[in-house]
Amino acid sequence: MKIAVDAMGGDHAPGEIVKGALKAAKILPDIQIILVGQKDKIDLHIPEDLKSTIEIYECSEVIEMDEHPAAAIKKKKDASIVVATRLVKEGYANALVSAGSTGAQMASALLGLGRIKGINRPAICTVLPTLQGGKLLLDVGANPDAKPENLLQYAMMGSIYAEKILGLKSPKVALLNIGSEEGKGNELVQAAYDLLKQSSLNFAGNIEGRDIPYGTADVIVCDAFVGNIVLKTIEGMSSSLFQLIMQKITASTIRKIGAILVKPGLKEIAHMLDYSEYGGAPLLGVDGTSIICHGSSKENAIFNAVRVAKECIEGQIIEKIVDGLEKSTQK
Amino acid sequence: MKIAVDAMGGDHAPGEIVKGALKAAKILPDIQIILVGQKDKIDLHIPEDLKSTIEIYECSEVIEMDEHPAAAIKKKKDASIVVATRLVKEGYANALVSAGSTGAQMASALLGLGRIKGINRPAICTVLPTLQGGKLLLDVGANPDAKPENLLQYAMMGSIYAEKILGLKSPKVALLNIGSEEGKGNELVQAAYDLLKQSSLNFAGNIEGRDIPYGTADVIVCDAFVGNIVLKTIEGMSSSLFQLIMQKITASTIRKIGAILVKPGLKEIAHMLDYSEYGGAPLLGVDGTSIICHGSSKENAIFNAVRVAKECIEGQIIEKIVDGLEKSTQK
């Protein structure tokens, strides 16, 4: 199986991206990596003894984070994200991974891979660390002005992903809302509630923001505006609270001694909350596997994103979504 | 100054509500409390020596949390929240505080007090604990389908509140969004951005979810659907993380010893994050002071809500909002 990795995308590209890709090539069975980008820059980060084993697919351009996505991918036909996406489209690679501009990756996917027939809007699906393990939140960034039928499709795609990738049997799907009772919320979620209730999904109704970290639902559905803000609020809460804890538990000599003793416990929590462990977020609904990574991704995050790409292909996520759509339209 | 306290509203009513109100009457200068509710139930919680000093305003009905707000306040004319609101309207009380059904309190306020002329929609304005102290988030629950001009009015009201109640000079107002650059977001916030940019407020542009806990803005504006989910996500993150920390730092004998040593530091954090310290959330935009408390409010939360009510009256929040509106329409 071949995974194209956009070696030029991300805050720590190409160094950390290459490291993560090499780790995946070494550890994961049946994985061949194609590093897409500027050969001279990538080469610096590949140890001599591996140079003959890793394929580099040369391309000349890079899309920067501040460029307008749609304009950039049209102008820079030889940008690493555009080329990586094309390799998937042409069947040369089975999936692609990038930590570059999310907008450019989405635009490349929409233009290069196209949508799965029947899916109106793709969604970025992320794994959230919770007290009950990893749970799904989608959409966290693709479509900030969603319609009720989009949310239904997110729920269907998320449910398939949770079953195949997280290994959850009949995943509990919930709608993110401002109250638990039916009839709560804005016009969008009220209409989406009705659609979800009528679907064949295991729909558990509404959940509120405070339920998210407790992991009470397996798949949480919302529009990208809400999802992105929630995801980043959770990230901000984790990091700010840890900063505060480290400051407060080392504020005196006695506390510092205590801090040394409890440190292994805090490390376990930091590990649980570490997004890099969960790999990238797939863009569900496009006709090809495109894994979106956090811009700040380092070696471990890229490694796990390649792992997720592999699991998506092995789990036949796209085929299952096509099947799911066919079944739901036959209903 | 007279504050009407809805003694029947909240998970811990009337016991904790009465305790908080009595504490306020004792500690805060120039405060007279009117306990609104069923006298026989309230009386049980007032010590004998205070019975002659505390006014009870008898009313026979209570609106339960699961009743439809608008229908309930029309049916139950003698419900504690309806009566407490009427006391403010009639000038018998200067403000009211309730921990009962938020919907019923809002409906009572809209019907009983009316909107301030020029404000299309009121907003619930909450104080968020952040690394830089308390900051404002609004709307967190009044109007889940907001329009751009609503967000502008929230910003104006929040800015006045931050200046008068939090004592912040020229408060930094930000729009909660999914990217920091202009042009990001859904249709609502894109249009609101333009209005805020043209306003005379100290508008700092967009902020993202991860910025909220760091306290980078003084007043964060969003629609109630987003605000309510963010507020509850923050609550859920605080409580779930603390639960996880307590579990992990006491998982062995050595860690338990460390936990004892760092406990004062963790207590300081818990105190910083304790919502009851910040009191209730005013419903800004109605023509009277109505302070909304968390349903789970206990003595300390009610005490602080009465304090907030007092500060709102002393800070002449309503008059300042009226002034602010006049100035902005004259521009």
Side-chain angles (χ1 to χ4, degrees), chain A residues 121-300:
Chain A
R121 296 290 201 134
I124 302 175
C125 177
T126 197
V127 179
L128 279 184
T130 78
L131 293 191
Q132 307 287 332
K135 303 291 181 181
L136 298 182
L137 178 70
L138 75 166
D139 176 18
V140 296
N143 175 24
D145 282 297
K147 295 193 169 59
E149 55 271 27
N150 301 143
L151 297 192
L152 174 66
Q153 292 177 358
Y154 301 167
M156 192 272 287
M157 296 193 291
S159 184
I160 288 168
Y161 192 83
E163 198 168 332
K164 297 294 160 194
I165 306 297
L166 302 186
L168 302 169
K169 185 87 189 142
S170 183
K172 219 169 116 180
V173 175
L175 188 62
L176 187 55
N177 206 332
I178 59 174
S180 54
E181 308 87 355
E182 188 172 348
K184 285 274 182 179
N186 58 16
E187 289 171 15
L188 170 67
V189 296
Q190 285 181 22
Y193 191 103
D194 294 338
L195 295 178
L196 285 162
K197 217 171 80 171
Q198 290 158 26
S199 76
S200 57
L201 297 164
N202 180 11
F203 179 51
N206 296 321
I207 65 163
E208 297 189 71
R210 71 167 68 90
D211 304 317
I212 302 172
Y214 288 93
T216 50
D218 299 320
V219 179
I220 303 168
V221 173
C222 58
D223 74 79
F225 189 78
V226 171
N228 190 274
I229 288 173
V230 163
L231 176 65
K232 289 175 180 164
T233 300
I234 288 174
E235 285 181 22
M237 279 300 290
S238 293
S239 62
S240 65
L241 258 177
F242 258 82
Q243 187 180 317
L244 195 59
I245 288 167
M246 292 320 292
Q247 182 194 320
K248 290 285 181 190
I249 70 174
T250 57
S252 72
T253 310
I254 289 183
R255 289 189 197 177
K256 274 181 191 157
I257 297 166
I260 293 167
L261 302 179
V262 300
K263 205 175 170 187
L266 297 179
K267 272 201 171 167
E268 283 168 30
I269 298 171
H271 187 74
M272 279 174 72
L273 299 177
D274 183 1
Y275 281 81
S276 71
E277 289 296 321
Y278 290 91
L283 181 61
L284 297 180
V286 291
D287 196 10
T289 302
S290 181
I291 308 292
I292 296 172
C293 299
H294 207 293
S296 64
S297 291
K298 292 190 178 180
E299 178 181 4
N300 199 43

Side-chain angles (χ1 to χ4, degrees), chain A residues 47-66:
Chain A
E48 278 306 319
D49 58 322
L50 293 180
K51 283 201 168 141
S52 60
T53 67
I54 296 289
E55 178 177 355
I56 298 177
Y57 198 99
E58 171 79 26
C59 62
S60 60
E61 293 173 300
V62 175
I63 294 178
E64 304 298 338
M65 296 303 268
D66 56 356

Side-chain angles (χ1 to χ4, degrees), chain B residues 36-235:
Chain B
V36 182
Q38 293 163 330
K39 195 170 187 311
D40 53 337
K41 290 187 182 160
I42 294 170
D43 245 349
L44 298 173
H45 302 280
I46 305 181
E48 278 306 319
D49 58 323
L50 293 179
K51 281 200 170 144
S52 60
T53 67
I54 297 288
E55 180 178 353
I56 299 177
Y57 198 99
E58 171 79 27
C59 62
S60 60
E61 293 173 300
V62 174
I63 294 176
E64 303 299 336
M65 297 302 270
D66 57 355
E67 290 186 74
H68 188 280
I73 66 153
K74 275 173 197 161
K75 206 178 100 197
K76 296 183 173 175
K77 301 271 185 218
D78 203 38
S80 54
I81 183 64
V82 177
V83 173
T85 308
R86 203 182 63 222
L87 295 183
V88 175
K89 176 68 182 173
E90 292 170 353
Y92 185 75
N94 300 89
L96 75 115
V97 165
S98 176
S101 153
T102 300
Q105 186 170 356
M106 283 198 300
S108 295
L110 278 170
L111 206 72
L113 305 172
R115 286 179 280 118
I116 292 174
K117 203 185 150 198
I119 296 290
N120 305 107
R121 295 290 202 134
I124 302 176
C125 177
T126 197
V127 180
L128 280 182
T130 78
L131 293 192
Q132 309 287 331
K135 304 290 182 183
L136 299 181
L137 178 70
L138 77 167
D139 176 15
V140 297
N143 175 24
D145 282 299
K147 296 194 169 57
E149 55 272 26
N150 300 144
L151 297 192
L152 174 66
Q153 293 177 357
Y154 300 168
M156 191 272 287
M157 295 192 291
S159 184
I160 289 168
Y161 192 83
E163 198 168 332
K164 298 292 159 192
I165 305 296
L166 303 186
L168 302 169
K169 185 87 189 142
S170 184
K172 220 169 116 179
V173 175
L175 188 63
L176 187 55
N177 206 331
I178 59 175
S180 55
E181 308 87 355
E182 189 172 347
K184 286 274 181 177
N186 57 16
E187 289 171 15
L188 171 66
V189 296
Q190 286 181 21
Y193 191 101
D194 294 337
L195 296 178
L196 285 162
K197 215 171 83 172
Q198 290 157 25
S199 77
S200 56
L201 296 164
N202 180 11
F203 179 52
N206 296 321
I207 66 164
E208 297 189 72
R210 70 167 68 90
D211 304 317
I212 302 172
Y214 288 94
T216 50
D218 299 318
V219 179
I220 303 168
V221 173
C222 58
D223 74 79
F225 189 78
V226 171
N228 189 274
I229 288 173
V230 163
L231 175 65
K232 289 175 181 165
T233 301
I234 289 175
E235 284 181 22

